[in-house]
PDB file of all heavy atoms in Angstrom:
ATOM      1  N   ALA A1320      -5.747  48.890  41.118  1.00 95.00           N
ATOM      2  CA  ALA A1320      -4.849  49.917  41.679  1.00 95.00           C
ATOM      3  C   ALA A1320      -5.396  51.343  41.616  1.00 95.00           C
ATOM      4  O   ALA A1320      -5.318  52.069  42.612  1.00 95.00           O
ATOM      5  CB  ALA A1320      -3.486  49.828  40.996  1.00 95.00           C
ATOM      6  N   PRO A1321      -5.972  51.790  40.495  1.00 94.00           N
ATOM      7  CA  PRO A1321      -6.450  53.181  40.455  1.00 94.00           C
ATOM      8  C   PRO A1321      -7.647  53.430  41.386  1.00 94.00           C
ATOM      9  O   PRO A1321      -7.922  54.569  41.752  1.00 94.00           O
ATOM     10  CB  PRO A1321      -6.877  53.378  38.989  1.00 94.00           C
ATOM     11  CG  PRO A1321      -6.291  52.239  38.233  1.00 94.00           C
ATOM     12  CD  PRO A1321      -6.176  51.113  39.198  1.00 94.00           C
ATOM     13  N   LEU A1322      -8.372  52.357  41.734  1.00 93.00           N
ATOM     14  CA  LEU A1322      -9.581  52.491  42.546  1.00 93.00           C
ATOM     15  C   LEU A1322      -9.298  52.420  44.032  1.00 93.00           C
ATOM     16  O   LEU A1322     -10.077  52.889  44.849  1.00 93.00           O
ATOM     17  CB  LEU A1322     -10.561  51.335  42.236  1.00 93.00           C
ATOM     18  CG  LEU A1322     -10.956  51.103  40.795  1.00 93.00           C
ATOM     19  CD1 LEU A1322     -11.785  49.837  40.705  1.00 93.00           C
ATOM     20  CD2 LEU A1322     -11.740  52.292  40.290  1.00 93.00           C
ATOM     21  N   TRP A1323      -8.204  51.792  44.369  1.00 92.00           N
ATOM     22  CA  TRP A1323      -7.992  51.383  45.754  1.00 92.00           C
ATOM     23  C   TRP A1323      -7.648  52.577  46.616  1.00 92.00           C
ATOM     24  O   TRP A1323      -6.735  53.340  46.315  1.00 92.00           O
ATOM     25  CB  TRP A1323      -6.882  50.331  45.804  1.00 92.00           C
ATOM     26  CG  TRP A1323      -7.039  49.413  46.958  1.00 92.00           C
ATOM     27  CD1 TRP A1323      -8.114  48.631  47.230  1.00 92.00           C
ATOM     28  CD2 TRP A1323      -6.092  49.183  47.993  1.00 92.00           C
ATOM     29  NE1 TRP A1323      -7.893  47.915  48.372  1.00 92.00           N
ATOM     30  CE2 TRP A1323      -6.659  48.231  48.864  1.00 92.00           C
ATOM     31  CE3 TRP A1323      -4.825  49.677  48.276  1.00 92.00           C
ATOM     32  CZ2 TRP A1323      -6.006  47.763  49.992  1.00 92.00           C
ATOM     33  CZ3 TRP A1323      -4.171  49.209  49.393  1.00 92.00           C
ATOM     34  CH2 TRP A1323      -4.751  48.262  50.238  1.00 92.00           C
ATOM     35  N   ASN A1324      -8.398  52.748  47.692  1.00 91.00           N
ATOM     36  CA  ASN A1324      -8.217  53.906  48.562  1.00 91.00           C
ATOM     37  C   ASN A1324      -8.474  53.462  49.999  1.00 91.00           C
ATOM     38  O   ASN A1324      -9.517  53.757  50.575  1.00 91.00           O
ATOM     39  CB  ASN A1324      -9.194  55.014  48.143  1.00 91.00           C
ATOM     40  CG  ASN A1324      -8.863  56.340  48.779  1.00 91.00           C
ATOM     41  OD1 ASN A1324      -7.701  56.668  48.961  1.00 91.00           O
ATOM     42  ND2 ASN A1324      -9.880  57.108  49.106  1.00 91.00           N
ATOM     43  N   PRO A1325      -7.541  52.716  50.590  1.00 93.00           N
ATOM     44  CA  PRO A1325      -7.815  52.077  51.882  1.00 93.00           C
ATOM     45  C   PRO A1325      -8.091  53.075  52.994  1.00 93.00           C
ATOM     46  O   PRO A1325      -7.430  54.099  53.104  1.00 93.00           O
ATOM     47  CB  PRO A1325      -6.524  51.287  52.160  1.00 93.00           C
ATOM     48  CG  PRO A1325      -5.465  51.975  51.359  1.00 93.00           C
ATOM     49  CD  PRO A1325      -6.153  52.489  50.135  1.00 93.00           C
ATOM     50  N   ASP A1326      -9.094  52.759  53.780  1.00 94.00           N
ATOM     51  CA  ASP A1326      -9.431  53.548  54.970  1.00 94.00           C
ATOM     52  C   ASP A1326      -9.828  52.540  56.048  1.00 94.00           C
ATOM     53  O   ASP A1326     -10.834  51.840  55.907  1.00 94.00           O
ATOM     54  CB  ASP A1326     -10.588  54.503  54.663  1.00 94.00           C
ATOM     55  CG  ASP A1326     -10.846  55.480  55.804  1.00 94.00           C
ATOM     56  OD1 ASP A1326     -11.017  55.004  56.946  1.00 94.00           O
ATOM     57  OD2 ASP A1326     -10.863  56.698  55.568  1.00 94.00           O
ATOM     58  N   LEU A1327      -9.043  52.470  57.115  1.00 90.00           N
ATOM     59  CA  LEU A1327      -9.272  51.441  58.126  1.00 90.00           C
ATOM     60  C   LEU A1327     -10.649  51.576  58.773  1.00 90.00           C
ATOM     61  O   LEU A1327     -11.187  50.599  59.296  1.00 90.00           O
ATOM     62  CB  LEU A1327      -8.170  51.473  59.192  1.00 90.00           C
ATOM     63  CG  LEU A1327      -6.737  51.230  58.693  1.00 90.00           C
ATOM     64  CD1 LEU A1327      -5.790  50.990  59.858  1.00 90.00           C
ATOM     65  CD2 LEU A1327      -6.636  50.070  57.711  1.00 90.00           C
ATOM     66  N   ASN A1328     -11.247  52.768  58.721  1.00 93.00           N
ATOM     67  CA  ASN A1328     -12.585  52.959  59.296  1.00 93.00           C
ATOM     68  C   ASN A1328     -13.659  52.210  58.519  1.00 93.00           C
ATOM     69  O   ASN A1328     -14.743  51.954  59.046  1.00 93.00           O
ATOM     70  CB  ASN A1328     -12.943  54.451  59.346  1.00 93.00           C
ATOM     71  CG  ASN A1328     -12.082  55.209  60.331  1.00 93.00           C
ATOM     72  OD1 ASN A1328     -11.831  54.735  61.438  1.00 93.00           O
ATOM     73  ND2 ASN A1328     -11.597  56.375  59.941  1.00 93.00           N
ATOM     74  N   ASP A1329     -13.375  51.874  57.270  1.00 95.00           N
ATOM     75  CA  ASP A1329     -14.340  51.109  56.470  1.00 95.00           C
ATOM     76  C   ASP A1329     -14.435  49.658  56.927  1.00 95.00           C
ATOM     77  O   ASP A1329     -15.402  48.965  56.636  1.00 95.00           O
ATOM     78  CB  ASP A1329     -13.960  51.137  54.987  1.00 95.00           C
ATOM     79  CG  ASP A1329     -14.333  52.442  54.298  1.00 95.00           C
ATOM     80  OD1 ASP A1329     -14.988  53.289  54.939  1.00 95.00           O
ATOM     81  OD2 ASP A1329     -13.953  52.610  53.123  1.00 95.00           O
ATOM     82  N   GLY A1330     -13.402  49.171  57.594  1.00 93.00           N
ATOM     83  CA  GLY A1330     -13.361  47.768  57.997  1.00 93.00           C
ATOM     84  C   GLY A1330     -12.673  46.903  56.958  1.00 93.00           C
ATOM     85  O   GLY A1330     -12.509  47.295  55.805  1.00 93.00           O
ATOM     86  N   VAL A1331     -12.283  45.713  57.401  1.00 94.00           N
ATOM     87  CA  VAL A1331     -11.459  44.830  56.573  1.00 94.00           C
ATOM     88  C   VAL A1331     -12.159  44.411  55.286  1.00 94.00           C
ATOM     89  O   VAL A1331     -11.616  44.555  54.198  1.00 94.00           O
ATOM     90  CB  VAL A1331     -11.033  43.584  57.377  1.00 94.00           C
ATOM     91  CG1 VAL A1331     -10.416  42.527  56.461  1.00 94.00           C
ATOM     92  CG2 VAL A1331     -10.026  43.967  58.460  1.00 94.00           C
ATOM     93  N   ILE A1332     -13.379  43.902  55.387  1.00 95.00           N
ATOM     94  CA  ILE A1332     -13.989  43.266  54.209  1.00 95.00           C
ATOM     95  C   ILE A1332     -14.311  44.289  53.117  1.00 95.00           C
ATOM     96  O   ILE A1332     -14.182  43.994  51.926  1.00 95.00           O
ATOM     97  CB  ILE A1332     -15.222  42.420  54.609  1.00 95.00           C
ATOM     98  CG1 ILE A1332     -15.599  41.457  53.462  1.00 95.00           C
ATOM     99  CG2 ILE A1332     -16.385  43.282  55.032  1.00 95.00           C
ATOM    100  CD1 ILE A1332     -16.518  40.339  53.882  1.00 95.00           C
ATOM    101  N   ILE A1333     -14.693  45.508  53.498  1.00 96.00           N
ATOM    102  CA  ILE A1333     -14.973  46.530  52.475  1.00 96.00           C
ATOM    103  C   ILE A1333     -13.680  46.951  51.779  1.00 96.00           C
ATOM    104  O   ILE A1333     -13.643  47.116  50.552  1.00 96.00           O
ATOM    105  CB  ILE A1333     -15.713  47.738  53.091  1.00 96.00           C
ATOM    106  CG1 ILE A1333     -17.170  47.340  53.354  1.00 96.00           C
ATOM    107  CG2 ILE A1333     -15.651  48.963  52.178  1.00 96.00           C
ATOM    108  CD1 ILE A1333     -18.003  48.405  54.044  1.00 96.00           C
ATOM    109  N   ASN A1334     -12.600  47.108  52.536  1.00 95.00           N
ATOM    110  CA  ASN A1334     -11.315  47.420  51.897  1.00 95.00           C
ATOM    111  C   ASN A1334     -10.866  46.294  50.967  1.00 95.00           C
ATOM    112  O   ASN A1334     -10.245  46.528  49.933  1.00 95.00           O
ATOM    113  CB  ASN A1334     -10.245  47.666  52.969  1.00 95.00           C
ATOM    114  CG  ASN A1334     -10.289  49.077  53.516  1.00 95.00           C
ATOM    115  OD1 ASN A1334     -10.216  50.045  52.769  1.00 95.00           O
ATOM    116  ND2 ASN A1334     -10.419  49.213  54.824  1.00 95.00           N
ATOM    117  N   PHE A1335     -11.177  45.060  51.355  1.00 95.00           N
ATOM    118  CA  PHE A1335     -10.772  43.889  50.572  1.00 95.00           C
ATOM    119  C   PHE A1335     -11.632  43.737  49.306  1.00 95.00           C
ATOM    120  O   PHE A1335     -11.208  43.133  48.315  1.00 95.00           O
ATOM    121  CB  PHE A1335     -10.926  42.629  51.434  1.00 95.00           C
ATOM    122  CG  PHE A1335      -9.879  41.575  51.240  1.00 95.00           C
ATOM    123  CD1 PHE A1335      -9.427  40.832  52.315  1.00 95.00           C
ATOM    124  CD2 PHE A1335      -9.347  41.296  49.988  1.00 95.00           C
ATOM    125  CE1 PHE A1335      -8.460  39.848  52.161  1.00 95.00           C
ATOM    126  CE2 PHE A1335      -8.384  40.310  49.812  1.00 95.00           C
ATOM    127  CZ  PHE A1335      -7.941  39.582  50.905  1.00 95.00           C
ATOM    128  N   ALA A1336     -12.849  44.304  49.333  1.00 97.00           N
ATOM    129  CA  ALA A1336     -13.862  44.000  48.310  1.00 97.00           C
ATOM    130  C   ALA A1336     -13.394  44.123  46.860  1.00 97.00           C
ATOM    131  O   ALA A1336     -13.638  43.211  46.060  1.00 97.00           O
ATOM    132  CB  ALA A1336     -15.108  44.866  48.548  1.00 97.00           C
ATOM    133  N   PRO A1337     -12.715  45.217  46.451  1.00 96.00           N
ATOM    134  CA  PRO A1337     -12.325  45.313  45.039  1.00 96.00           C
ATOM    135  C   PRO A1337     -11.306  44.257  44.608  1.00 96.00           C
ATOM    136  O   PRO A1337     -11.101  44.052  43.417  1.00 96.00           O
ATOM    137  CB  PRO A1337     -11.708  46.722  44.929  1.00 96.00           C
ATOM    138  CG  PRO A1337     -12.152  47.462  46.141  1.00 96.00           C
ATOM    139  CD  PRO A1337     -12.333  46.426  47.200  1.00 96.00           C
ATOM    140  N   LEU A1338     -10.690  43.574  45.585  1.00 96.00           N
ATOM    141  CA  LEU A1338      -9.640  42.601  45.285  1.00 96.00           C
ATOM    142  C   LEU A1338     -10.170  41.164  45.224  1.00 96.00           C
ATOM    143  O   LEU A1338      -9.384  40.227  45.112  1.00 96.00           O
ATOM    144  CB  LEU A1338      -8.546  42.672  46.366  1.00 96.00           C
ATOM    145  CG  LEU A1338      -7.885  44.041  46.572  1.00 96.00           C
ATOM    146  CD1 LEU A1338      -7.131  44.070  47.895  1.00 96.00           C
ATOM    147  CD2 LEU A1338      -6.939  44.354  45.435  1.00 96.00           C
ATOM    148  N   TRP A1339     -11.483  40.988  45.273  1.00 96.00           N
ATOM    149  CA  TRP A1339     -12.049  39.653  45.460  1.00 96.00           C
ATOM    150  C   TRP A1339     -11.604  38.655  44.395  1.00 96.00           C
ATOM    151  O   TRP A1339     -11.514  37.454  44.655  1.00 96.00           O
ATOM    152  CB  TRP A1339     -13.582  39.732  45.491  1.00 96.00           C
ATOM    153  CG  TRP A1339     -14.236  40.030  44.169  1.00 96.00           C
ATOM    154  CD1 TRP A1339     -14.561  41.246  43.664  1.00 96.00           C
ATOM    155  CD2 TRP A1339     -14.631  39.075  43.174  1.00 96.00           C
ATOM    156  NE1 TRP A1339     -15.131  41.134  42.419  1.00 96.00           N
ATOM    157  CE2 TRP A1339     -15.188  39.805  42.093  1.00 96.00           C
ATOM    158  CE3 TRP A1339     -14.575  37.683  43.082  1.00 96.00           C
ATOM    159  CZ2 TRP A1339     -15.682  39.191  40.951  1.00 96.00           C
ATOM    160  CZ3 TRP A1339     -15.060  37.065  41.939  1.00 96.00           C
ATOM    161  CH2 TRP A1339     -15.611  37.814  40.892  1.00 96.00           C
ATOM    162  N   ARG A1340     -11.297  39.136  43.202  1.00 95.00           N
ATOM    163  CA  ARG A1340     -10.950  38.226  42.104  1.00 95.00           C
ATOM    164  C   ARG A1340      -9.624  37.497  42.334  1.00 95.00           C
ATOM    165  O   ARG A1340      -9.352  36.478  41.698  1.00 95.00           O
ATOM    166  CB  ARG A1340     -10.889  39.017  40.791  1.00 95.00           C
ATOM    167  CG  ARG A1340     -12.221  39.595  40.362  1.00 95.00           C
ATOM    168  CD  ARG A1340     -12.051  40.716  39.332  1.00 95.00           C
ATOM    169  NE  ARG A1340     -11.447  40.251  38.095  1.00 95.00           N
ATOM    170  CZ  ARG A1340     -12.117  39.721  37.070  1.00 95.00           C
ATOM    171  NH1 ARG A1340     -13.422  39.589  37.134  1.00 95.00           N
ATOM    172  NH2 ARG A1340     -11.498  39.348  35.974  1.00 95.00           N
ATOM    173  N   MET A1341      -8.800  37.994  43.239  1.00 96.00           N
ATOM    174  CA  MET A1341      -7.472  37.410  43.463  1.00 96.00           C
ATOM    175  C   MET A1341      -7.385  36.588  44.751  1.00 96.00           C
ATOM    176  O   MET A1341      -6.306  36.324  45.253  1.00 96.00           O
ATOM    177  CB  MET A1341      -6.419  38.525  43.471  1.00 96.00           C
ATOM    178  CG  MET A1341      -6.234  39.157  42.104  1.00 96.00           C
ATOM    179  SD  MET A1341      -5.173  40.615  42.127  1.00 96.00           S
ATOM    180  CE  MET A1341      -6.340  41.888  42.614  1.00 96.00           C
ATOM    181  N   ILE A1342      -8.539  36.174  45.285  1.00 96.00           N
ATOM    182  CA  ILE A1342      -8.576  35.391  46.522  1.00 96.00           C
ATOM    183  C   ILE A1342      -8.695  33.911  46.183  1.00 96.00           C
ATOM    184  O   ILE A1342      -9.622  33.500  45.483  1.00 96.00           O
ATOM    185  CB  ILE A1342      -9.756  35.823  47.414  1.00 96.00           C
ATOM    186  CG1 ILE A1342      -9.617  37.301  47.804  1.00 96.00           C
ATOM    187  CG2 ILE A1342      -9.841  34.949  48.657  1.00 96.00           C
ATOM    188  CD1 ILE A1342     -10.830  37.870  48.514  1.00 96.00           C
ATOM    189  N   ALA A1343      -7.771  33.097  46.689  1.00 94.00           N
ATOM    190  CA  ALA A1343      -7.780  31.661  46.382  1.00 94.00           C
ATOM    191  C   ALA A1343      -8.660  30.866  47.351  1.00 94.00           C
ATOM    192  O   ALA A1343      -9.159  29.805  46.996  1.00 94.00           O
ATOM    193  CB  ALA A1343      -6.354  31.114  46.422  1.00 94.00           C
ATOM    194  N   HIS A1344      -8.834  31.365  48.576  1.00 95.00           N
ATOM    195  CA  HIS A1344      -9.632  30.666  49.585  1.00 95.00           C
ATOM    196  C   HIS A1344     -11.112  30.880  49.266  1.00 95.00           C
ATOM    197  O   HIS A1344     -11.642  31.967  49.410  1.00 95.00           O
ATOM    198  CB  HIS A1344      -9.273  31.226  50.971  1.00 95.00           C
ATOM    199  CG  HIS A1344      -9.964  30.529  52.106  1.00 95.00           C
ATOM    200  ND1 HIS A1344     -11.171  30.958  52.604  1.00 95.00           N
ATOM    201  CD2 HIS A1344      -9.617  29.452  52.843  1.00 95.00           C
ATOM    202  CE1 HIS A1344     -11.529  30.171  53.609  1.00 95.00           C
ATOM    203  NE2 HIS A1344     -10.604  29.253  53.774  1.00 95.00           N
ATOM    204  N   LYS A1345     -11.777  29.817  48.796  1.00 94.00           N
ATOM    205  CA  LYS A1345     -13.118  29.956  48.216  1.00 94.00           C
ATOM    206  C   LYS A1345     -14.169  30.558  49.161  1.00 94.00           C
ATOM    207  O   LYS A1345     -14.919  31.439  48.753  1.00 94.00           O
ATOM    208  CB  LYS A1345     -13.604  28.609  47.673  1.00 94.00           C
ATOM    209  CG  LYS A1345     -12.806  28.099  46.484  1.00 94.00           C
ATOM    210  CD  LYS A1345     -12.938  29.061  45.291  1.00 94.00           C
ATOM    211  CE  LYS A1345     -12.221  28.528  44.074  1.00 94.00           C
ATOM    212  NZ  LYS A1345     -10.770  28.453  44.224  1.00 94.00           N
ATOM    213  N   PRO A1346     -14.276  30.103  50.420  1.00 94.00           N
ATOM    214  CA  PRO A1346     -15.303  30.697  51.288  1.00 94.00           C
ATOM    215  C   PRO A1346     -15.074  32.194  51.513  1.00 94.00           C
ATOM    216  O   PRO A1346     -16.035  32.980  51.533  1.00 94.00           O
ATOM    217  CB  PRO A1346     -15.156  29.913  52.605  1.00 94.00           C
ATOM    218  CG  PRO A1346     -14.508  28.627  52.216  1.00 94.00           C
ATOM    219  CD  PRO A1346     -13.594  28.959  51.085  1.00 94.00           C
ATOM    220  N   TRP A1347     -13.811  32.602  51.660  1.00 95.00           N
ATOM    221  CA  TRP A1347     -13.518  34.018  51.868  1.00 95.00           C
ATOM    222  C   TRP A1347     -13.759  34.800  50.580  1.00 95.00           C
ATOM    223  O   TRP A1347     -14.297  35.897  50.602  1.00 95.00           O
ATOM    224  CB  TRP A1347     -12.082  34.184  52.369  1.00 95.00           C
ATOM    225  CG  TRP A1347     -11.650  35.598  52.622  1.00 95.00           C
ATOM    226  CD1 TRP A1347     -10.598  36.247  52.058  1.00 95.00           C
ATOM    227  CD2 TRP A1347     -12.247  36.558  53.510  1.00 95.00           C
ATOM    228  NE1 TRP A1347     -10.487  37.532  52.528  1.00 95.00           N
ATOM    229  CE2 TRP A1347     -11.495  37.751  53.423  1.00 95.00           C
ATOM    230  CE3 TRP A1347     -13.349  36.527  54.362  1.00 95.00           C
ATOM    231  CZ2 TRP A1347     -11.811  38.904  54.158  1.00 95.00           C
ATOM    232  CZ3 TRP A1347     -13.665  37.664  55.097  1.00 95.00           C
ATOM    233  CH2 TRP A1347     -12.898  38.828  54.995  1.00 95.00           C
ATOM    234  N   GLN A1348     -13.405  34.200  49.444  1.00 95.00           N
ATOM    235  CA  GLN A1348     -13.672  34.875  48.176  1.00 95.00           C
ATOM    236  C   GLN A1348     -15.172  35.118  48.004  1.00 95.00           C
ATOM    237  O   GLN A1348     -15.599  36.200  47.580  1.00 95.00           O
ATOM    238  CB  GLN A1348     -13.149  34.058  46.993  1.00 95.00           C
ATOM    239  CG  GLN A1348     -13.296  34.818  45.679  1.00 95.00           C
ATOM    240  CD  GLN A1348     -12.998  33.976  44.456  1.00 95.00           C
ATOM    241  OE1 GLN A1348     -13.548  32.895  44.299  1.00 95.00           O
ATOM    242  NE2 GLN A1348     -12.123  34.473  43.593  1.00 95.00           N
ATOM    243  N   LYS A1349     -15.969  34.122  48.357  1.00 96.00           N
ATOM    244  CA  LYS A1349     -17.420  34.242  48.235  1.00 96.00           C
ATOM    245  C   LYS A1349     -17.944  35.381  49.120  1.00 96.00           C
ATOM    246  O   LYS A1349     -18.783  36.189  48.691  1.00 96.00           O
ATOM    247  CB  LYS A1349     -18.080  32.912  48.629  1.00 96.00           C
ATOM    248  CG  LYS A1349     -19.581  32.882  48.429  1.00 96.00           C
ATOM    249  CD  LYS A1349     -20.156  31.524  48.799  1.00 96.00           C
ATOM    250  CE  LYS A1349     -21.671  31.520  48.654  1.00 96.00           C
ATOM    251  NZ  LYS A1349     -22.264  30.232  49.091  1.00 96.00           N
ATOM    252  N   ALA A1350     -17.431  35.467  50.356  1.00 95.00           N
ATOM    253  CA  ALA A1350     -17.865  36.524  51.285  1.00 95.00           C
ATOM    254  C   ALA A1350     -17.451  37.903  50.785  1.00 95.00           C
ATOM    255  O   ALA A1350     -18.241  38.862  50.836  1.00 95.00           O
ATOM    256  CB  ALA A1350     -17.278  36.260  52.674  1.00 95.00           C
ATOM    257  N   VAL A1351     -16.228  38.004  50.276  1.00 96.00           N
ATOM    258  CA  VAL A1351     -15.723  39.301  49.812  1.00 96.00           C
ATOM    259  C   VAL A1351     -16.435  39.718  48.530  1.00 96.00           C
ATOM    260  O   VAL A1351     -16.765  40.893  48.344  1.00 96.00           O
ATOM    261  CB  VAL A1351     -14.191  39.248  49.628  1.00 96.00           C
ATOM    262  CG1 VAL A1351     -13.669  40.555  49.034  1.00 96.00           C
ATOM    263  CG2 VAL A1351     -13.504  38.986  50.961  1.00 96.00           C
TER     264      VAL A1351
END
């Protein structure tokens, strides 16, 4: 939460990146 600073110009995967630990879908978690 303290790190998260969404900017749509960064694109989806970069915005998603700090959250990778909470992804249940394994292939997407691996990519993120």
Side-chain angles (χ1 to χ4, degrees):
L1322 306 174
W1323 208 58
N1324 193 36
D1326 188 307
L1327 300 192
N1328 292 317
D1329 282 354
V1331 169
I1332 196 164
I1333 285 176
N1334 278 305
F1335 217 144
L1338 303 164
W1339 71 269
R1340 295 162 63 86
M1341 292 172 277
I1342 299 172
H1344 184 269
K1345 294 297 184 294
W1347 180 238
Q1348 186 189 52
K1349 185 178 178 184
V1351 175

